[in-house]
Amino acid sequence: MKGLLSLLSLLSLSAPAVGLEPYLVKDINPVPEPGSSSPSDFVTLGSVALFSVFDGSAGSEIWRSDGTEAGTWQVTHLCQPFCNFGDPQAFAQTSRHYFFQLLDEGSNWRLWATDGTAAGTFQLTDPSVNAFGAGVSDGDVLYFNVSVGDDEDSVYQVWRSDGTPSGTWRVADQSPYAMAAFQGSVYFAGTDGLWKTDGTPAGTVMVSPLTASALFVVGDRLVFQVYPPGPTEELWSSDGTPEGTLKLSGALWFPYFSVQGGRLYFVAEDDEDGQELWVTDGTPQNTRALTRLPRSDAFFSHSQGYFLELPRVAAGNRFVFMANDGPYNIEPWVTDGTVKGTRQLKDLCPGYCEDVTRIWDSTLPGLVFMTVTTPDRGNELWVTDGTRAGTRLVRDLCPGSCDGHPYAPFVVKDRLIFVANDGVHGEELWTTDGKEANTLRISNFAPEEPWYEPDWTVAGGQLLFDAPGPEGDELWRTDGTSKGTRLVRDINTADIGGSHPIYLMASGDEAFFFTYSYETSDIALWKSDGTDAETVQVRAVDREDTEGLLYGGSASAQ
């Protein structure tokens, strides 16, 4: 499967999305055998694709292609005459270079880089330097961590590289926990302090001697955790200068963070007050606790056994989060970043409720969607604009106390599409804009067929997906309306089980996918723009590679 997906990625680089006709670029492994060259680890570098292949003679090498046979050739010659060590491992990428690691005969990792040409491919580190933990890229320069020396006596360092040996060197003898690009410099936090660098040893200076980690860019400040002596932590921020490095909080623990609208929201915990929600803009005067919850474990669900993580979405300038204040159990709360504007949003489940309300990361502008379980409604979809009046049940999808159990949200244009069960039709597609009148079931699949989370992709402003209809498991499409939700094509008319579309992948206004017949074990590559006429088979796949496709291996299109 990996090989087929890689082939699609390569072909999509060199032809327009509309009317794209995939073709074999080059038979890299011409030896007639069931296996393939197994192209993998595709990256786009300018107008070419770089990938790793096994050529059938020596071992895996880096190849490049511009989508033509003449423009497809082997870049590296790492295995001469033969190597039995590991394949090239993708490490990182900048705008001009692809970095990869290779394990040599002595089991030492070496870092390499290539610009897509043989002349521009270099070994950057010797066997005594093991690159790991790619950090950040600043323009065309990559900053990363290395260990130098043997395992027992190894030391950790920060290095930089522009993809050439002359542009690769040690920046500092540090063991960084985190890196971040901020205001034209790269910052790294380690056991002996917060540092910034311009990429040269002379231009690497300590900003603060504090033991730091977890860097967050918040407006024009860099916020980071500090580990003072003792079991607790502190929060500090910096403008990049020692005098502009300031303490934001006292001794606390910090389980969760979420950057929203120029603010950093975080859960902090201490022995006296327990877990509370805090906010900061990176300045001491605007760093404060927003809640005073009676429960010391307000951000932990005992019934589910996990912490309530902070959401990654917000309703405009209102941040909605879940908390347990004790009397009302776990309910949605909202804050505008002020103590006065922080309150319980609404008691959605009066009394004791074990199930945790879950906030979806997929949303529409100004809204936050969440699933809520109540005794009278069951598990259903709710929405909020961050106000009490605007917090409401979207629709009782399964009327009464049964569970509509909405899941798998996907945004298409200005609609949210998801899967739910109304108790009659089984799991179907639904659509909503947050209003009850516009929350509608838009599909009618075979209710007796189990339907797990569909394989789907957005292409050409529509959702293409596999679904179990009367024709079996076939390709469907929807634009978020009932009229626009339909079977695209009954691809396998000979098998009532359907063609089982899998691995849908968008390419412009079309989607590529594979079909499989349980009856004949045939696999084929197809493409579709969501219409019957333009849903066509691109290429059949060798049966010898069937097992590889189904179980995550490689397959070849011949």
Side-chain angles (χ1 to χ4, degrees):
M1 180 60 216
K2 193 174 185 180
L4 282 172
L5 290 179
S6 300
L7 176 63
L8 279 181
S9 301
L10 173 61
L11 295 176
S12 66
L13 291 174
S14 59
V18 179
L20 174 66
E21 290 291 344
Y23 53 91
L24 178 64
V25 175
K26 187 169 185 175
D27 188 1
I28 297 174
N29 182 359
V31 179
E33 58 182 26
S36 75
S37 62
S38 303
S40 61
D41 292 329
F42 271 69
V43 296
T44 302
L45 200 63
S47 60
V48 303
L50 300 179
F51 51 98
S52 175
V53 300
F54 177 73
D55 66 5
S57 60
S60 292
E61 301 281 3
I62 302 297
W63 283 62
R64 60 95 71 187
S65 179
D66 61 2
T68 67
E69 182 170 0
T72 301
W73 65 76
Q74 183 175 335
V75 175
T76 63
H77 296 273
L78 308 172
C79 297
Q80 293 181 345
F82 185 79
C83 58
N84 57 3
F85 43 91
D87 297 336
Q89 301 293 315
F91 183 71
Q93 184 180 359
T94 61
S95 59
R96 295 184 180 179
H97 288 88
Y98 170 57
F99 294 79
F100 60 95
Q101 292 192 97
L102 189 69
L103 193 65
D104 66 11
E105 296 90 336
S107 298
N108 298 301
W109 285 105
R110 305 186 188 197
L111 184 65
W112 291 68
T114 182
D115 63 0
T117 67
T121 301
F122 306 102
Q123 178 185 317
L124 302 177
T125 61
D126 61 48
S128 64
V129 178
N130 298 329
F132 71 98
V136 298
S137 59
D138 185 24
D140 297 327
V141 178
L142 177 71
Y143 291 81
F144 55 97
N145 306 341
V146 303
S147 64
V148 180
D150 298 330
D151 291 340
E152 295 181 357
D153 300 319
S154 62
V155 294
Y156 299 96
Q157 299 174 344
V158 177
W159 282 47
R160 59 90 71 187
S161 178
D162 64 359
T164 67
S166 61
T168 302
W169 59 72
R170 175 189 61 81
V171 173
D173 293 319
Q174 304 294 330
S175 178
Y177 291 126
M179 293 184 183
F182 175 62
Q183 293 186 345
S185 297
V186 169
Y187 289 71
F188 55 91
T191 55
D192 63 347
L194 176 68
W195 294 70
K196 72 175 180 180
T197 182
D198 62 1
T200 66
T204 302
V205 298
M206 179 182 287
V207 177
S208 169
L210 299 168
T211 302
S213 70
L215 307 179
F216 301 95
V217 177
V218 182
D220 57 358
R221 305 284 295 179
L222 187 69
V223 179
F224 56 97
Q225 288 175 262
V226 169
Y227 296 93
T232 59
E233 304 163 323
E234 296 173 349
L235 205 64
W236 288 63
S237 79
S238 179
D239 63 359
T241 65
E243 58 274 13
T245 301
L246 309 170
K247 183 178 179 179
L248 302 180
S249 75
L252 300 165
W253 294 274
F254 308 102
Y256 296 111
F257 298 87
S258 181
V259 178
Q260 299 289 339
R263 300 187 183 103
L264 177 67
Y265 292 95
F266 58 98
V267 174
E269 180 178 356
D270 63 16
D271 292 332
E272 182 177 348
D273 297 322
Q275 300 168 357
E276 304 289 354
L277 183 73
W278 286 59
V279 69
T280 184
D281 64 358
T283 64
Q285 63 269 25
N286 290 324
T287 301
R288 63 179 70 89
L290 297 175
T291 59
R292 284 291 181 263
L293 300 170
R295 288 186 65 105
S296 62
D297 56 352
F299 290 86
F300 184 81
S301 169
H302 289 275
S303 63
Q304 301 295 324
Y306 55 77
F307 284 95
L308 306 176
E309 297 187 23
L310 296 180
R312 290 177 289 180
V313 296
N317 64 349
R318 299 183 179 96
F319 182 57
V320 179
F321 61 97
M322 308 308 302
N324 189 340
D325 70 347
Y328 296 99
N329 297 297
I330 297 173
E331 296 286 355
W333 285 62
V334 67
T335 182
D336 60 3
T338 67
V339 175
K340 184 178 180 180
T342 303
R343 63 184 183 280
Q344 185 192 82
L345 187 56
K346 202 168 189 177
D347 186 7
L348 303 183
C349 183
Y352 178 74
C353 301
E354 288 191 358
D355 288 326
V356 177
T357 300
R358 299 179 185 273
I359 296 176
W360 281 354
D361 287 330
S362 295
T363 190
L364 299 175
L367 299 176
V368 169
F369 291 85
M370 50 194 171
T371 58
V372 180
T373 302
T374 61
D376 58 334
R377 299 290 190 181
N379 182 262
E380 299 292 353
L381 183 64
W382 288 64
V383 69
T384 182
D385 62 1
T387 67
R388 187 180 300 272
T391 303
R392 62 188 184 280
L393 175 71
V394 174
R395 178 172 173 175
D396 192 358
L397 303 169
C398 186
S401 60
C402 65
D403 296 328
H405 188 56
Y407 70 98
F410 216 107
V411 176
V412 177
K413 295 182 178 179
D414 57 350
R415 307 285 293 183
L416 187 69
I417 299 175
F418 59 96
V419 180
N421 191 334
D422 64 2
V424 177
H425 299 89
E427 292 190 328
E428 299 284 353
L429 276 185
W430 290 71
T431 182
T432 186
D433 62 359
K435 300 177 182 178
E436 181 178 8
N438 296 330
T439 302
L440 306 168
R441 179 173 57 85
I442 57 174
S443 68
N444 187 21
F445 305 132
E448 67 276 4
E449 293 291 334
W451 193 32
Y452 305 102
E453 185 163 346
D455 194 343
W456 50 16
T457 189
V458 174
Q462 62 190 330
L463 190 67
L464 295 170
F465 59 98
D466 71 294
E471 300 82 4
D473 188 24
E474 292 288 359
L475 182 69
W476 285 63
R477 60 90 66 186
T478 184
D479 59 2
T481 67
S482 179
K483 184 179 180 181
T485 303
R486 62 178 181 272
L487 174 73
V488 174
R489 179 173 177 180
D490 185 3
I491 295 174
N492 191 347
T493 58
D495 188 343
I496 60 174
S499 64
H500 308 284
I502 53 175
Y503 305 117
L504 275 80
M505 183 170 53
S507 177
D509 292 335
E510 296 178 316
F512 289 85
F513 59 97
F514 298 94
T515 61
Y516 175 72
S517 171
Y518 286 101
E519 199 171 76
T520 63
S521 297
D522 289 335
I523 295 178
L525 172 64
W526 287 68
K527 70 172 183 177
S528 176
D529 67 353
T531 66
D532 187 342
E534 294 301 321
T535 300
V536 295
Q537 179 175 318
V538 176
R539 192 178 301 277
V541 179
D542 282 349
R543 290 190 185 183
E544 289 86 349
D545 291 324
T546 296
E547 184 175 353
L549 174 59
L550 293 180
Y551 297 100
S554 298
S556 61
Q558 302 292 337

